[in-house]
Amino acid sequence: MKTQENSAAPVPVTLSETAASRVGQLIEMQGNPNLKLRLTVSGGGCSGFQYGFDLTEKGEDDDIIVERNGVTMLVDSMSLLYVTGSEVDYVTDLVGSSFQVTNPNAQSNCGCGSSFAI
């Protein structure tokens, strides 16, 4: 696993302060300080690819580790191909609250923000 917070290399994916705070709250609610946020990209969704978010204890050898305010986000190398340069944020609006990815690689997004096309 490669940690990105204190590295001199540019961070390929970032986690906003708001998202880190929300992940911290979720971890506290679960009562398991070993949990980390995992960001995945898979085929499907109305635009071709979709984002997935999970809390997990286990990291994989090819994960990139992004840390912010004591919270860890994991991104596997395959998903990283699609989200390099992105920021994960936690947004609250009239529709509700959700994690959202601002992805400069996406040529189009669906209305709900959970899927995208490259």
Side-chain angles (χ1 to χ4, degrees), residues 56-113:
T56 184
E57 287 186 43
K58 187 177 182 207
E60 301 297 332
D61 290 340
D62 69 337
D63 284 343
I64 296 297
I65 300 171
V66 178
E67 295 176 333
R68 176 141 194 190
N69 299 343
V71 170
T72 301
M73 179 173 67
L74 305 172
V75 184
D76 65 271
S77 61
M78 185 60 85
S79 296
L80 188 63
L81 294 172
Y82 300 102
V83 297
T84 296
S86 298
E87 179 181 56
V88 175
D89 196 8
Y90 187 75
V91 178
T92 301
D93 56 25
L94 294 175
V95 179
S97 302
S98 64
F99 287 101
Q100 294 185 0
V101 179
T102 302
N103 188 343
N105 306 304
Q107 293 180 355
S108 64
N109 295 299
C110 70
C112 66

Side-chain angles (χ1 to χ4, degrees), residues 3 23 32 46 54 66 74 79 115:
T3 302
V23 172
N32 182 349
C46 50
D54 277 322
V66 178
L74 305 172
S79 296
S115 69

Side-chain angles (χ1 to χ4, degrees), residues 14-44:
T14 59
L15 187 63
S16 75
E17 178 110 14
T18 306
S21 175
R22 182 60 180 152
V23 172
Q25 292 168 357
L26 293 171
I27 290 169
E28 188 174 315
M29 288 169 44
Q30 294 291 322
N32 182 349
N34 297 318
L35 291 174
K36 301 158 187 59
L37 178 68
R38 176 171 292 285
L39 167 62
T40 57
V41 174
S42 60

